[in-house]
Amino acid sequence: MADLATIANKDPAPRTIWPGPARGPRVLIYSHDTFGLGHLRRSRALANAIVGDHADASVVIISGSPVIGNFEFGSGVDYIRIPGVTKLPDGDYRTLNLNVSLDEAVGLRQALILQTAKAFQPDVFIVDKEPTGFRGEVVPALDYLQAVGCRLVLGIRDVMDEPALLIPEWERKGAREALIRYYDEIWVYGLKDVHQPLQAFDLPEEVSRRITYTGYLRREIPPTPSLTKYPKITKQPFILVTTGGGGDGDDLIDWVISAYEADQTLEQPALILFGPFIDRDTRRAFVERIAKQPKLDVMSFDNKIERLMKKADAIVAMGGYNTFCEALSFDKRTLIVPRTKPRLEQYIRAVEAERLGLVRMLSDHNEPRTPERMAAALKALSSQPRPSEVTIPGLLDGLDRVQERLKALTKSAIQLTPAYHQAAE
C-alpha cells in the first residue's frame, strides 16, 4: 500500500475549469464535526440547496461525524468520512474509534482532506465555523486550493460565543490570521441586526467588506417519508422536546420530565427525542421515568426530524442553530432552554430571538431550575405567538443569498485560465 503522505503530496493533473458540457460547478464543504449534529446538518442543508439549484453541480462533504451515513442527500451530493474525534467533559479531545493518538488521527484527517482537495478540484471550498479546521488540519488544503485559484469561503453561524471566550480561543488557533490570509468571503448565516459574531475582532476594513449576512437557512420537509414509526402520542397535538444530538441535553430532558412528575394538570402531551449521542445509562434512567407518565413518550433518534417538527404543535429545545432555523421555517411556537456551559452561544441567540418576539426563553442562568417554572412555561406555549406574526425582512433568506454568492464566485473562477492553474501547481 502506498504511503498516505506520499499520495497526499503527489502533484495533481492539470485542472480543467468549468463550465461547459463536460463539467458543472464543484463545491467542497469541510465540517469538522467533533461533537453533535449541528455542523453536519448545516452542511447538508447547504449541499442539498446547491444541487437543487444547479442540476449539474457536484458537492462533497468532508465530515468526521459517525452518523453521516444516516442522513439523506440530494442527487449530486456525496461525502467522505474522515476518522472521528470526540470532545470529553473536561474540554479535551480523543479519537472516536481508532486506537491511535490524537496527533496521529489529526495527521490522518489532514492528509485525507488535502488529498480530497487535490483529487476533486473544487471551484469553491466552504469551511464551516473553524477557519483553520480542527487543530489546524485544514490549513494545507487552504494553501493548496488558494494557489490553484479555488474560491475560499468561511461559513459561520449567527452566534459563536461571548467575546471574552471567543477572542482568546481564536488567537490560540491562529483563526483571525487565517481569516485575513485565506478567505475570499465570509458568510454569516444570520442577520446583522440580530448579532454580529465577528464584531469584537476589530478586523481590517478589507476583511469586513468580505462579510455577507445571509439570513437564516430555511429548512424544508425531506422529499421521502421517514421510516421511523412515530408513537401514538403524535396523532394529537403534542410538544416536541429535542436536544439535537443529545450529548449535552440531559438537563433539559430532566427538567421537562420533572415538570410532568410534579404537575398533573399539564394537559398537552410531550414527545421527548433523545438524539444519538445520549449516554446509555442516562437514557435508561429517563426511559424508566417517562414510562410512569401517561402524557410523555420517547423516541431515540429521527434522521428526518423536520417531519416530526412539522407535525408538532410546539417545540421545546436548547436552541442550537439548526433547531432554531427549523422552528422558524415551520412556524412553530418554541420554548428555548439554552445551555450556558461551556459556551453562551445558545443563551445569546435565545436572548436576541426573545427580544424580537420569535421565541420565548426559560433559563437557569440566574434562576433556580424548578419543576414549577418548567410546567408554567409549557402551559404558556399554547398561547404564545408564532414566529410568522413578527415581520423581519430577510429572516429566512439564507439559502437564496448563498446561491447568489456561489454564482458570483464560480463566475469569477471561469476567468482563471488553465495555464494559471498549471503554473500554480
Side-chain angles (χ1 to χ4, degrees):
M1 181 180 292
D3 178 73
L4 186 60
T6 302
I7 294 174
N9 290 310
K10 184 179 179 182
D11 287 337
R15 182 175 189 239
T16 303
I17 301 298
W18 84 278
R23 192 192 193 283
R26 295 183 181 182
V27 179
L28 183 62
I29 300 176
Y30 164 82
S31 177
H32 68 293
D33 292 303
T34 56
F35 187 74
L37 296 174
H39 305 291
L40 171 60
R41 295 183 65 215
R42 183 163 56 246
S43 298
R44 171 177 169 261
L46 290 169
N48 285 344
I50 291 168
V51 297
D53 193 58
H54 297 270
D56 59 347
S58 294
V59 182
V60 171
I61 300 173
I62 299 175
S63 171
S65 173
V67 297
I68 188 170
N70 294 339
F71 289 89
E72 187 175 68
F73 297 94
S75 177
V77 181
D78 213 331
Y79 63 87
I80 292 174
R81 192 191 159 213
I82 54 179
V85 295
T86 188
K87 194 172 186 177
L88 301 174
D90 63 2
D92 203 358
Y93 292 86
R94 65 169 174 82
T95 58
L96 187 62
N97 294 314
L98 294 179
N99 295 315
V100 301
S101 69
L102 183 60
D103 287 343
E104 286 181 277
V106 171
L108 179 57
R109 286 164 58 104
Q110 177 177 292
L112 291 171
I113 293 166
L114 178 58
Q115 176 59 14
T116 300
K118 290 183 174 183
F120 185 53
Q121 291 290 297
D123 301 294
V124 178
F125 182 33
I126 303 174
V127 174
D128 186 70
K129 182 181 177 284
E130 296 284 352
T132 61
F134 178 66
R135 302 209 169 190
E137 66 186 5
V138 82
V139 170
L142 290 171
D143 282 327
Y144 169 78
L145 290 172
Q146 185 178 60
V148 298
C150 175
R151 298 312 189 198
L152 306 177
V153 176
L154 177 69
I156 59 176
R157 61 188 181 227
D158 58 337
V159 182
M160 301 284 281
D161 201 352
E162 58 178 326
L165 294 179
L166 185 61
I167 290 176
E169 177 185 332
W170 271 38
E171 287 179 351
R172 185 176 69 254
K173 295 176 178 178
R176 183 179 183 275
E177 291 73 17
L179 200 67
I180 297 169
R181 175 180 176 183
Y182 292 112
Y183 290 99
D184 299 293
E185 297 200 4
I186 302 155
W187 298 344
V188 178
Y189 305 125
L191 293 178
K192 189 174 185 179
D193 292 341
V194 176
H195 191 72
Q196 300 178 46
L198 300 179
Q199 186 177 35
F201 286 100
D202 190 27
L203 295 170
E205 180 60 30
E206 64 180 66
V207 177
S208 297
R209 286 196 297 267
R210 303 175 199 166
I211 299 175
T212 295
Y213 287 85
T214 66
Y216 291 91
L217 304 177
R218 182 186 297 275
R219 304 305 164 88
E220 305 291 342
I221 300 296
T224 57
S226 175
L227 299 178
T228 303
K229 185 178 180 180
Y230 295 141
K232 291 182 180 179
I233 205 172
T234 62
K235 297 184 181 299
Q236 58 186 307
F238 70 98
I239 299 169
L240 176 63
V241 181
T242 174
T243 61
D248 56 357
D250 298 356
D251 287 345
L252 170 56
I253 294 174
D254 175 72
W255 201 356
V256 170
I257 296 174
S258 69
Y260 280 87
E261 290 171 335
D263 191 341
Q264 302 303 312
T265 66
L266 273 169
E267 295 183 359
Q268 194 163 35
L271 175 64
I272 296 174
L273 188 64
F274 281 150
F277 303 125
I278 189 172
D279 175 78
R280 290 183 180 181
D281 292 336
T282 303
R283 178 176 59 187
R284 187 180 302 110
F286 282 153
V287 168
E288 291 177 358
R289 293 170 64 190
I290 290 168
K292 298 175 183 178
Q293 300 300 318
K295 293 181 181 176
L296 291 179
D297 211 330
V298 65
M299 286 177 60
S300 292
F301 177 53
D302 186 3
N303 64 350
K304 296 181 180 178
I305 191 176
E306 297 91 347
R307 289 186 172 273
L308 200 54
M309 287 186 164
K310 185 69 174 177
K311 289 173 66 70
D313 185 60
I315 295 171
V316 176
M318 295 168 65
Y321 180 83
N322 292 283
T323 305
F324 181 63
C325 288
E326 287 153 351
L328 297 182
S329 299
F330 304 132
D331 198 26
K332 297 299 177 180
R333 299 181 178 95
T334 302
L335 175 67
I336 298 296
V337 187
R339 72 173 181 221
T340 55
K341 296 178 181 179
R343 296 183 182 276
L344 283 176
E345 170 224 337
Q346 294 177 354
Y347 181 80
I348 294 170
R349 180 181 297 112
V351 167
E352 294 303 316
E354 185 175 52
R355 174 181 64 83
L356 294 170
L358 296 170
V359 304
R360 285 185 179 162
M361 181 182 73
L362 181 67
S363 175
D364 61 356
H365 190 44
N366 293 312
E367 296 185 61
R369 187 162 57 93
T370 65
E372 292 76 19
R373 288 185 63 216
M374 175 60 75
L378 293 174
K379 290 177 180 178
L381 268 172
S382 60
S383 60
Q384 181 176 317
R386 294 182 181 274
S388 61
E389 297 179 44
V390 180
T391 302
I392 302 176
L395 181 66
L396 286 168
D397 288 353
L399 293 177
D400 295 332
R401 293 287 288 147
V402 165
Q403 299 289 17
E404 291 173 8
R405 295 313 312 149
L406 273 175
K407 288 176 181 176
L409 288 171
T410 49
K411 182 178 180 180
S412 67
I414 298 171
Q415 300 170 0
L416 297 174
T417 66
Y420 170 84
H421 290 286
Q422 293 173 33
E425 293 158 359

